[in-house]
Amino acid sequence: MFTTVKVRTGEFDCYWNGERTNYYIFNGSVGMDGHGNNVYGIMNTETGKQTMTGSLQKAKKMVEFTLKKSV
């Protein structure tokens, strides 16, 4: 089961079956009001690769899909 835990505003650790994964979701627009929509990204802390996704929901779905595929 996929879950996220808020680290601080706009930053989330990702967990799979209760174990922390190497994926991290972050707010790429730093939550600045008046500067358009928030854009979230996913970071693989193992490789350092970052992917900008759009909404928080889309970021969560992408990480969950990736984790399901790897099991």
Side-chain angles (χ1 to χ4, degrees):
M1 183 173 100
F2 174 73
T3 57
T4 58
V5 174
K6 183 177 180 178
V7 177
R8 58 185 150 262
T9 302
E11 299 178 15
F12 302 87
D13 283 335
C14 299
Y15 289 79
W16 184 254
N17 293 328
E19 291 187 35
R20 187 173 177 197
T21 68
N22 57 331
Y23 291 99
Y24 177 78
I25 297 174
F26 63 94
N27 185 336
S29 56
V30 196
M32 297 173 64
D33 290 336
H35 293 281
N37 294 331
N38 287 328
V39 177
Y40 285 84
I42 302 165
M43 180 165 156
N44 183 327
T45 57
E46 191 174 278
T47 63
K49 181 181 176 185
Q50 296 182 11
T51 304
M52 300 310 288
T53 61
S55 71
L56 177 58
Q57 273 64 19
K58 187 172 182 181
K60 287 180 178 182
K61 285 181 182 181
M62 287 180 72
V63 173
E64 182 176 18
F65 176 79
T66 302
L67 293 171
K68 279 183 181 178
K69 193 170 68 168
S70 68
V71 173

